Amino acid sequence: MAKKPKKASAGEGEAGAEAAPKSKKKLMIMVAVAVLVVAGGGAGAFMMMGKGGDHGEGKEATEGGHGSGHGGGHGAGPEGKRQVVFADVREMLLNLSPDMPQDKTKYAKVRLSLELKDAKVEEEVKPLMPRVEDALQIYMRELRASDLTGSVGLFRLREELLRRVNIALYPAKVEAVLLKDVIVQ
């Protein structure tokens, strides 16, 4: 009887001997995959940080700077920034439509600024400012005080004003309408 357990343990030993090389292969494969993942992650981080793959290396090396860390200035101006121009629209004081017919008249005081692409567009826009003011006055007189409440109301107002200003200035294009002051009384 003692021999049977020994044979069983000998059989287990053979199976264990076969399993050991397989587990070593699996371990080596897992280590190799882990090394590749870490190396790939490091290379990706290196490229994303702006240190590698930058096409303007010669320029940064001669200037002695480290760059901005945001991909350098590919294209938009002498320092990589757009030359944006702002044109102010005259302050407007408007009476708003009442929410209910018996409500007292409410007023809105609005100051706007138009964001333009460059100074050349500003030269096109300046002579057409009366047309812009007219379009804004007509639209804003139909607004109610409830239309101007909350951030959603102001966002809708900005989008609608941008649409109307671009229609009024058609050949020229306004990039954004910026609300400086909106006071409802």
Side-chain angles (χ1 to χ4, degrees):
M1 285 196 212
K3 289 184 180 180
K4 287 183 182 179
K6 287 183 183 178
K7 286 184 180 179
S9 63
E12 287 175 6
E14 290 175 9
E18 290 177 12
K22 287 183 181 179
S23 65
K24 285 184 181 179
K25 285 182 182 179
K26 286 182 182 178
L27 180 65
M28 293 300 284
I29 291 172
M30 292 174 79
V31 168
V33 168
V35 167
L36 288 174
V37 167
V38 170
F46 182 74
M47 298 295 267
M48 295 299 286
M49 292 294 210
K51 304 293 183 195
D54 196 12
H55 299 294
E57 292 171 1
K59 181 181 77 168
E60 287 179 357
T62 58
E63 291 175 1
H66 295 286
S68 64
H70 296 288
H74 294 288
E79 295 180 12
K81 295 182 181 177
R82 292 187 340 183
Q83 300 299 324
V84 179
V85 178
F86 298 97
D88 289 333
V89 178
R90 272 188 323 143
E91 184 176 284
M92 293 185 284
L93 184 62
L94 316 153
N95 53 339
L96 301 172
S97 296
D99 287 327
M100 303 293 283
Q102 66 271 16
D103 286 348
K104 290 171 59 176
T105 304
K106 293 191 177 187
Y107 298 95
K109 181 179 175 183
V110 181
R111 284 184 34 210
L112 303 170
S113 186
L114 305 177
E115 182 179 333
L116 306 170
K117 187 175 175 181
D118 56 16
K120 190 168 103 175
V121 176
E122 183 183 22
E123 292 171 8
E124 295 175 23
V125 168
K126 285 291 185 188
L128 300 173
M129 284 306 258
R131 187 186 297 176
V132 170
E133 291 172 5
D134 179 59
L136 297 180
Q137 289 272 350
I138 291 171
Y139 170 69
M140 293 187 72
R141 285 187 183 273
E142 292 299 319
L143 292 175
R144 296 182 304 267
S146 61
D147 294 334
L148 301 175
T149 57
S151 61
V152 173
L154 292 178
F155 181 76
R156 286 183 188 150
L157 174 68
R158 237 178 64 198
E159 293 299 313
E160 184 63 27
L161 293 179
L162 177 63
R163 187 181 75 79
R164 289 177 182 265
V165 166
N166 278 329
I167 289 171
L169 300 174
Y170 172 61
K173 185 174 188 296
V174 174
E175 301 295 320
V177 172
L178 307 173
L179 300 172
K180 288 183 170 183
D181 287 329
V182 177
I183 300 171
V184 178
Q185 185 180 16

